[in-house]
Every structure is written in C-alpha cells, then in structure tokens.
Amino acid sequence: MMEALGRISATDCVKLCHRVVDGLCGQEPPCRSDYSATWSLEEWLQLLDFLNGLFSLAVGSNVPDEEVLAKLSDVDHSHAEAVRSVLRARQEEIRRALLTRTNSISSAILQDFDWQLKLALSSDKISSLNTPLLSLGLDVRENGALRPITMELNREELSTLVSSLEAANKVVLQLK
C-alpha cells in the first residue's frame, strides 16, 4: 500500500503527512477530496490507516529511525525520508496527543495498593476448606478524592482480574 505514496511528489508527501499528524492530534485531518484524483477511496483509507498506525507505533513504542525506514521499504527513498522527517519534527506533539487519548479513557488513578494472602481453613458451611484467598486493597484517586476499594478474591477470581488487567494494559500500550 505504501507504494501508493509514490503517486505524489515528496513535497506533497510531506504536506500529507503533516495533515495526517494534524488529524492524529485532534486538528483538521487531510481532506479526501484533495486526493480523490490520486487514490481510490479504498486506497485512501488504507493509506491513512497505515500512516496513522505508523506514527502512533513509532512514537508510542519509541521505534528507531532504521525500523521506521524498514516499514517504508516499498517507497522510494525521498518519500520515506519525507515521512521520517515529519515523524521526527512532530514527535512530541504526537506523544502528547497519544497520552491525552490514553488519559481520557478514565480519570481514575491507582494511588496505592496493599495485598494479603490468607488461607481459609473452614467456613460456616464447610468444615474443611483450605482455600487461599487474596485480600486486595486499592486506593483510587478520582476527581481529586481518594476512594478505598477492598476485595477478597479466590484463585479463579484473581486469575480473571490479572487477565483483565493484562488486556487493559495491552490496549493502553497500543494507544501510546
């Protein structure tokens, strides 16, 4: 798909990349009608998706220039350098936009946590239980107020919580 960039000049490629970054940063994105004679709608959407993904990944994961240029191997050198130059010039702006997007997911912030592992030997219903339980206390700051959350989890519930947190972390890392 990146070879489609070769249909415009390197100067126009720089302009397009700046407009893509503008869109990524919440400003006016590139207008399809400006490029309708150059690319079909499908090509246009694929190109925008690729450039948005490249800029987000490169900045969010701190990808080195060599790796960025490797992802642009289908494009001639002048176009690849144009994309890389826009990326480097607007790197901090992209980083701020990605952080803002990540932070907007929730205003709650984990301030502190405490945990205790307990062994439940019996209950009022079962005389011999021998079940490990994790007592987890979270101090969450939301809108300036500190709110304590306490929960007691068995092995399966803890496994589910850990899986959910890992999945959430993966999503956050993709947004960066």
Side-chain angles (χ1 to χ4, degrees):
M1 181 62 240
M2 283 308 297
E3 62 274 357
L5 267 180
R7 296 184 198 159
I8 59 175
S9 69
T11 304
D12 287 340
C13 180
V14 169
K15 291 176 186 173
L16 173 64
C17 287
H18 275 294
R19 293 292 304 275
V20 169
V21 172
D22 287 345
L24 195 61
C25 295
Q27 301 165 6
E28 185 72 27
C31 186
R32 158 85 173 110
S33 61
D34 294 343
Y35 300 95
S36 60
T38 310
W39 297 298
S40 69
L41 178 60
E42 184 179 345
E43 290 173 323
W44 171 251
L45 293 174
Q46 287 176 351
L47 182 62
L48 284 183
D49 187 49
F50 178 82
L51 289 172
N52 277 310
L54 177 68
F55 290 141
S56 296
L57 175 70
V59 173
S61 299
N62 228 1
V63 174
D65 283 355
E66 300 79 34
E67 210 172 307
V68 171
L69 291 173
K71 291 188 180 297
L72 298 168
S73 61
D74 295 346
V75 182
D76 67 68
H77 182 71
S78 62
H79 287 75
E81 279 300 316
V83 173
R84 190 196 60 76
S85 71
V86 170
L87 177 63
R88 292 299 157 230
R90 303 209 37 205
Q91 186 170 3
E92 270 313 302
E93 193 177 346
I94 296 168
R95 185 177 316 285
R96 281 193 304 274
L98 293 174
L99 285 172
T100 299
R101 188 181 306 163
T102 302
N103 290 338
S104 70
I105 292 172
S106 174
S107 62
I109 298 170
L110 179 63
Q111 196 73 37
D112 195 13
F113 71 95
D114 190 25
W115 62 274
Q116 266 185 319
L117 186 59
K118 302 174 183 178
L119 184 60
L121 299 175
S122 64
S123 73
D124 59 348
K125 295 178 183 164
I126 302 172
S127 63
S128 179
L129 194 58
N130 287 334
T131 302
L133 297 172
L134 179 78
S135 179
L136 181 61
L138 305 173
D139 291 332
V140 177
R141 183 169 304 279
E142 190 167 18
N143 300 326
L146 195 61
R147 183 170 54 110
I149 300 170
T150 306
M151 57 185 90
E152 196 168 80
L153 307 165
N154 63 28
R155 187 182 306 241
E156 294 79 27
E157 292 167 332
L158 178 60
S159 179
T160 302
L161 176 64
V162 169
S163 297
S164 298
L165 291 173
E166 287 173 343
N169 186 50
K170 187 175 181 180
V171 169
V172 168
L173 290 175
Q174 288 175 346
L175 290 175
K176 286 186 176 182

